[in-house]
């Protein structure tokens, strides 16, 4: 990273990276100057990103009050003004020339906004997004303070703000937003752009009709003012002063503003002052005032009443905005929680569609690409628009261009639904289609941002589901490859050894030039017999484990006596265990057990063979049976070297052989077959350390039902002939 490509090539030539022969080959193939420059750029970018994250973390530790101009970032202020579009385009050109990231923000003060102004604000924010900006909506009454604070939070080095025709008095009283931003900006550069209105095209969502005049609000305001007047008259009869009556009117104005808004509150303020003058200030029943001091009272009363109504209205708007943000946060939280608890891609899509439809109150469709990149609606839920050809074309356009399209946008606005690309960490994973009966439902920036957040959250969940499926496939492939390698490794030894012994013994017998005596011939035949039996047992184990894993094993349970099963197993192992002492502890009162005699006999054979491999020849092998609760427990115990604590469970895995056991024959299939047979019987098998050394292998079989009553057989009488 810290060397120019020329110096690095010199190191190649000098043999400081590879030996000279390999250096020439490397320089001729991949390590050319162009590739080294590209690699260096990639490395420097990665380092710059990491250092940038460290710088931001360090800046936050000191409070983040100052901007660290380690990289350029622009902040452009957007509003409903028709001149904001030009400001956005200039900010885009400035960000491109500086190769800087940029953010478009709008500060919502809670003041009312007409439908046309809100529609223009939406268009401006949409334009910023289309040009590559990140958008954000802030809330607060101090616009300049919110802009500067957000710039410090994002470590922005430049602020771009438009200058429109503001009233002269705002500059006189210091209420100009531009001047206040410049004063508070500190070490942040401020670019003031003289706005110019651009030709406006057709707005996508139709403008709503102006709301009807709020007659009820003004009627209720008049009723509240009238009630305050009645209370004030009663207070006058009680001998209270005029200041108490004025307080009653102020209380009524606050109530009107709190319940019915700003303008009814202003109207109630004016009417309250007039009624107070007309009814209580001498000369009464006239608007004339004898004492000029009352003019000050009227003025203060009117200003306080208007201020109270304005603050009450602003508080209501901020509370409404807070409730809306809370609803958006709750919708995101509920969606993420539902998706996080769902596994499987199909189930995840069904959950996402149901949750989105419930949160948005709209008809939802999710489109995912097939192998050829063509979008298809998921079969998660029924909808009325997803299968229409022209709707699929709009969704395909949104997926390919990574931009929203359809109803409410300037791209293909005749569609029945709004289509948003679902963007994940690897790009677009699909498209979210939203169909609402309200044409301007998602016209506001807040609703559009909420919709994008939900779409991106769904995209992340879909990516997670796909990654989980891919990880499962990879895990299966890895496990298959591991089993294949273990099988080949085992067979390469366990098949070759008996085959070599059989071939050697048979070739010795076929040699005609050297006659064999009877003892040698018998020994060679015994070798062929023993090795063929060992080979047959290995093939049988392989076939057994294949049947078990394919689910082809069938259990034929019948009432059996354990004495007979143990005796049959010992009879089959008479030759392999010749010379060993086998002790059995089988109580005479053992009940009959429902089991598959052939399979349980195979379990005992495998356990006894395993004990015979590891236990010394002069130490006995114990076979014990007992009733324990509602189960029959069988035990095969040896005095071998024992197992480590970690191997007590792993010995039942396929092809697993403990450390230091490589010199012993075996494919590591006997114990896994035992576990599979015991499990299909409804029991369990486990291994334990034996007191005094060795290992105990135990398995339990459930005692089910009552055995039938068996009449003793009468031996036939045999007559001598």
């Amino acid at each position: 990273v810290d060397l120019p490509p020329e110096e690095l090539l010199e190191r190649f030539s000098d043999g400081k990276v590879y030996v000279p022969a390999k250096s020439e080959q490397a320089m001729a193939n991949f390590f050319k100057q162009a590739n080294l420059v590209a690699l260096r750029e990639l490395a420097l970018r990665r380092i710059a990103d990491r250092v940038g994250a460290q710088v931001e973390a360090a800046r936050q530790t000191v409070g983040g009050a100052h901007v660290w101009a380690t990289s350029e970032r622009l902040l452009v202020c957007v509003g409903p003004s028709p001149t904001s579009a030009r400001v956005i385009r200039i900010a885009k050109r400035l960000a491109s020339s500086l190769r800087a990231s940029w953010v478009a923000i709008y500060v919502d003060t809670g003041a009312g906004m007409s439908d046309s102004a809100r529609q223009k604000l939406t268009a401006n924010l949409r334009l910023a997004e289309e040009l590559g900006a990140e958008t954000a909506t802030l809330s607060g009454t101090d616009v300049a303070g919110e802009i500067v604070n957000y710039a410090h939070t994002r470590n922005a080095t430049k602020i771009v703000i438009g200058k429109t025709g503001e009233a002269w008095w705002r500059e006189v009283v210091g209420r100009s937003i531009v001047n206040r931003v410049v004063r508070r900006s500190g070490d942040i550069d401020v670019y003031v752009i003289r706005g110019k209105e651009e030709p406006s095209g057709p707005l996508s969502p139709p403008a709503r009709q102006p709301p009807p005049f709020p007659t009820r609000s003004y009627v209720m305001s008049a009723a509240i003012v009238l009630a305050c007047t009645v209370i004030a008259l009663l207070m006058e009869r009680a001998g209270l002063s005029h200041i108490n009556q004025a307080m009653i009117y102020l209380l009524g104005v606050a109530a009107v503003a709190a319940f019915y808004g700003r303008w009814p509150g202003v109207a109630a303020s004016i009417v309250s002052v007039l009624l107070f003058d007309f009814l209580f200030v001498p000369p009464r029943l006239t608007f004339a005032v004898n004492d000029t001091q009352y003019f000050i009272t009227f003025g203060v009363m009117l200003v306080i009443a208007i201020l109270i109504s304005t603050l009450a209205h602003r508080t209501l708007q901020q509370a409404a905005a807070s409730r809306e943000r809370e609803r958006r946060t709750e919708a995101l939280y509920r969606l993420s929680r539902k998706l996080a608890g769902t596994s499987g891609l199909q189930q995840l899509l069904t959950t996402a569609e149901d949750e989105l439809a419930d949160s948005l109150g709209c008809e939802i469709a999710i489109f995912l690409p097939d192998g050829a990149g063509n979008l298809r609606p998921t079969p998660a839920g029924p909808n009325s628009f997803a299968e229409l050809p022209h709707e699929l074309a709009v969704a395909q356009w949104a997926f390919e261009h990574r931009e929203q399209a359809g109803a409410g946008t300037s791209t293909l606005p005749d569609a029945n639904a709004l289509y948003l690309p679902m963007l994940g960490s690897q790009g677009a994973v699909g498209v979210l289609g939203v169909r609402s009966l309200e044409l301007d439902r998602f016209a506001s920036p807040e609703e559009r941002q909420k919709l994008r957040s939900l779409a991106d959250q769904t995209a992340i969940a879909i990516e997670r589901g796909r990654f989980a499926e891919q990880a499962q496939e990879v895990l299966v492939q890895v496990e298959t490859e591991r089993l294949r390698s273990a099988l080949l490794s085992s067979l390469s030894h366990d098949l070759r050894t008996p085959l070599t012994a059989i071939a050697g013994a048979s070739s010795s017998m076929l040699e005609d030039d050297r006659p064999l005596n009877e003892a040698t011939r018998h020994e060679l035949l015994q070798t062929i017999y023993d090795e063929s039996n060992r080979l047959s047992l290995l093939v049988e184990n392989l076939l057994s484990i294949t049947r078990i894993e394919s689910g082809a094993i069938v259990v034929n349970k019948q009432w059996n006596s354990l004495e007979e099963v143990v005796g049959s197993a010992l009879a089959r192992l008479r030759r392999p265990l010749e010379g060993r002492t086998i002790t059995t502890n089988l109580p005479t009162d053992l009940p009959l057990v429902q089991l598959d005699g052939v399979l349980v006999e195979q379990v005992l054979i495998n356990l006894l063979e395993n004990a015979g491999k590891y236990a010394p020849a002069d130490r006995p092998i114990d076979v014990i049976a007992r009733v324990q609760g509602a189960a029959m427990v069988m035990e095969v115990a040896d005095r071998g070297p024992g197992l480590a604590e970690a191997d007590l469970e792993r010995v039942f895995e396929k092809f697993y052989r403990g450390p230091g056991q490589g010199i012993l024959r075996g494919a590591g299939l006997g114990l896994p077959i035992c576990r599979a047979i015991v499990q299909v019987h409804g029991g369990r098998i486990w291994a334990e350390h034996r007191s005094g050394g060795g290992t105990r292998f135990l398995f339990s079989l459930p005692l089910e039902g009552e055995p039938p009553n068996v009449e003793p057989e009468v031996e036939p009488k045999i007559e001598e002939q």
Side-chain angles (χ1 to χ4, degrees):
V1 174
D2 56 347
L3 281 181
E6 294 79 6
E7 295 185 18
L8 190 55
L9 289 174
E10 290 181 5
R11 291 177 58 83
F12 270 95
S13 301
D14 296 340
K16 296 181 179 179
V17 180
Y18 296 115
V19 295
K22 293 190 65 176
S23 294
E24 294 179 0
Q25 182 181 0
M27 293 170 62
N29 292 332
F30 180 77
F31 292 103
K32 301 177 182 179
Q33 184 169 1
N35 290 346
L36 291 176
V37 171
L39 284 174
R40 192 181 188 205
E41 180 184 4
L42 288 174
L44 289 173
R45 286 183 181 274
R46 182 62 62 88
I47 292 175
D49 292 340
R50 180 172 297 180
V51 173
Q54 294 174 354
V55 168
E56 181 62 24
R59 193 178 72 90
Q60 294 299 329
T61 58
V62 297
H66 299 284
V67 174
W68 292 6
T70 54
S71 61
E72 297 288 351
R73 177 174 288 133
L74 271 67
L75 196 72
V76 57
C77 305
V78 178
S81 171
T83 63
S84 289
R86 182 171 182 266
V87 177
I88 293 171
R89 297 185 189 278
I90 293 175
K92 165 61 178 175
R93 291 196 293 269
L94 183 59
S96 299
S97 64
L98 295 174
R99 299 195 177 197
S101 59
W102 59 301
V103 184
I105 65 169
Y106 163 68
V107 181
D108 186 3
T109 61
M113 187 183 299
S114 64
D115 290 339
S116 59
R118 182 169 292 277
Q119 196 173 14
K120 190 62 181 177
L121 172 63
T122 303
N124 291 334
L125 290 174
R126 190 181 307 157
L127 173 63
E129 289 182 346
E130 292 173 355
L131 294 179
E134 177 187 351
T135 59
T137 301
L138 310 179
S139 298
T141 57
D142 185 3
V143 177
E146 293 294 336
I147 293 173
V148 175
N149 290 337
Y150 189 76
H152 283 112
T153 302
R154 297 300 301 271
N155 199 28
T157 57
K158 292 175 175 54
I159 297 176
V160 181
I161 188 170
K163 181 180 181 181
T164 56
E166 292 183 326
W168 61 270
W169 60 269
R170 297 183 67 89
E171 297 188 6
V172 173
V173 298
R175 299 297 296 174
S176 173
I177 296 177
V178 174
N179 293 339
R180 292 165 62 203
V181 169
V182 172
R183 284 198 304 269
R184 297 187 183 185
S185 59
D187 50 359
I188 303 176
D189 299 332
V190 180
Y191 291 76
V192 181
I193 309 300
R194 180 63 180 178
K196 181 180 180 182
E197 184 174 358
E198 295 185 345
S200 59
L203 296 176
S204 45
R208 292 181 292 185
Q209 297 294 328
F213 184 78
T215 306
R216 182 177 180 276
S217 298
Y218 285 95
V219 170
M220 294 303 298
S221 301
I224 291 176
V225 173
L226 180 60
C228 292
T229 302
V230 172
I231 295 174
L233 290 173
L234 294 176
M235 293 174 67
E236 185 186 31
R237 289 189 177 183
L240 298 177
S241 64
H242 289 170
I243 189 64
N244 296 301
Q245 297 156 359
M247 292 298 103
I248 292 297
Y249 279 114
L250 288 178
L251 178 62
V253 169
V256 170
F259 290 107
Y260 302 108
R262 173 186 296 174
W263 297 114
V266 172
S269 303
I270 298 174
V271 173
S272 297
V273 171
L274 294 177
L275 286 176
F276 181 71
D277 178 23
F278 187 77
L279 295 176
F280 300 102
V281 176
R284 297 189 174 188
L285 303 181
T286 66
F287 292 105
V289 179
N290 290 337
D291 191 349
T292 56
Q293 293 182 0
Y294 277 104
F295 285 109
I296 300 176
T297 303
F298 295 156
V300 172
M301 182 177 174
L302 180 61
V303 170
I304 292 177
I306 294 176
L307 182 61
I308 290 175
S309 63
T310 302
L311 292 177
H313 175 70
R314 183 174 296 174
T315 302
L316 287 176
Q317 287 188 325
Q318 291 177 350
S322 299
R323 286 193 299 270
E324 182 60 30
R325 287 193 296 270
E326 181 182 358
R327 283 194 293 268
R328 291 201 300 268
T329 304
E330 182 185 1
L332 282 173
Y333 170 72
R334 190 167 60 247
L335 177 64
S336 61
R337 185 182 60 181
K338 288 287 185 67
L339 295 181
T342 305
S343 59
L345 184 58
Q346 188 57 45
Q347 184 63 29
L348 189 145
L349 292 172
T350 303
T351 302
E353 285 198 357
D354 294 342
E355 189 61 33
L356 288 172
D358 182 61
S359 298
L360 300 174
C362 302
E363 198 172 353
I364 299 296
I366 295 178
F367 300 81
L368 297 181
D370 56 15
N374 298 321
L375 289 185
R376 293 289 181 268
T378 61
N383 47 66
S384 61
F385 65 92
E387 297 287 350
L388 299 178
H390 60 279
E391 298 295 323
L392 282 174
V394 179
Q396 188 72 36
W397 188 96
F399 177 74
E400 293 175 354
H401 292 81
R402 308 294 195 266
E403 297 179 9
Q404 57 189 4
T409 68
S410 58
T411 304
L412 306 172
D414 294 333
N416 293 332
L418 172 64
Y419 297 92
L420 294 93
M422 297 188 297
L423 302 178
S425 59
Q426 305 295 326
V429 301
V431 171
L432 175 65
V434 183
R435 182 175 181 270
S436 176
L437 297 179
E438 303 176 21
L439 298 179
D440 56 348
R441 165 72 185 279
F442 301 106
S444 66
E446 296 83 4
E447 287 293 330
R448 192 64 61 89
Q449 186 176 7
K450 171 185 175 181
L451 193 57
R452 283 195 302 269
S453 301
L454 293 173
D456 293 343
Q457 188 73 25
T458 306
I460 294 174
I462 292 175
E463 275 192 338
R464 176 179 59 82
R466 286 178 173 173
F467 289 155
E469 291 184 350
Q470 294 174 2
Q472 184 64 28
E473 293 176 359
V474 171
L475 184 62
V476 171
Q477 293 176 359
V478 170
E479 183 66 18
T480 303
E481 183 65 24
R482 188 183 70 83
L483 291 179
R484 186 181 72 85
S485 300
L487 180 60
L488 292 177
S489 175
S490 176
L491 293 183
S492 65
H493 177 269
D494 293 302
L495 281 179
R496 183 176 57 201
T497 301
L499 287 176
T500 302
I502 292 172
S506 59
S507 64
S508 298
M509 294 182 65
L510 291 175
E511 291 179 357
D512 297 331
D513 56 347
R514 186 179 59 182
L516 299 175
N517 56 38
E518 187 64 24
T520 303
R521 181 174 174 275
H522 182 271
E523 182 180 356
L524 292 175
L525 288 175
Q526 188 65 48
T527 300
I528 294 174
Y529 177 78
D530 292 341
E531 296 300 330
S532 62
N533 280 341
R534 184 175 292 110
L535 186 61
S536 176
L537 181 60
L538 175 61
V539 173
E540 183 179 349
N541 282 339
L542 289 173
L543 293 176
S544 298
I545 202 67
T546 302
R547 288 196 303 268
I548 290 171
E549 292 196 344
S550 63
I553 185 172
V554 178
V555 179
N556 182 21
K557 288 186 177 182
Q558 296 181 0
W559 292 101
N560 286 273
S561 170
L562 283 181
E563 292 89 341
E564 296 179 0
V565 176
V566 173
S568 178
L570 293 176
R572 289 184 57 184
L573 293 174
R574 182 178 293 111
R575 179 69 183 177
L577 298 179
E578 186 177 1
R580 288 186 173 273
T581 303
I582 309 295
T583 63
T584 59
N585 183 2
L586 306 176
T588 56
D589 57 347
L590 287 178
L592 298 179
V593 184
Q594 268 196 329
L595 51 83
D596 189 318
V598 176
L599 294 179
V600 175
E601 180 182 329
Q602 183 65 40
V603 173
L604 290 172
I605 290 174
N606 289 352
L607 292 178
L608 288 168
E609 278 192 335
N610 185 76
K613 289 179 184 178
Y614 301 106
D618 58 343
R619 306 301 296 272
I621 299 174
D622 301 325
V623 180
I624 305 170
R626 63 179 179 274
V627 176
Q628 185 172 326
M632 176 70 69
V633 178
M634 294 289 298
E635 177 182 342
V636 176
D638 61 62
R639 289 296 181 181
L643 293 171
E645 189 68 31
D647 293 333
L648 291 177
E649 182 63 29
R650 296 194 63 189
V651 291
F652 296 101
E653 298 178 1
K654 292 189 294 293
F655 306 112
Y656 178 78
R657 303 177 69 187
Q661 300 175 8
I663 60 175
L664 297 175
R665 296 180 180 180
L669 294 175
L671 294 180
I673 292 174
C674 294
R675 182 172 63 176
I677 293 175
V678 171
Q679 287 178 348
V680 297
H681 277 80
R684 72 184 188 95
I685 187 170
W686 67 99
E688 295 179 354
H689 298 297
R690 189 178 186 185
S691 177
T695 306
R696 303 166 57 203
F697 287 92
L698 303 96
F699 66 92
S700 64
L701 299 174
L703 296 175
E704 302 171 337
E706 293 291 335
N709 293 324
V710 181
E711 296 293 337
E713 296 183 358
V714 179
E715 296 183 0
K717 185 177 181 180
I718 301 176
E719 297 180 356
E720 294 183 1
Q721 299 294 330

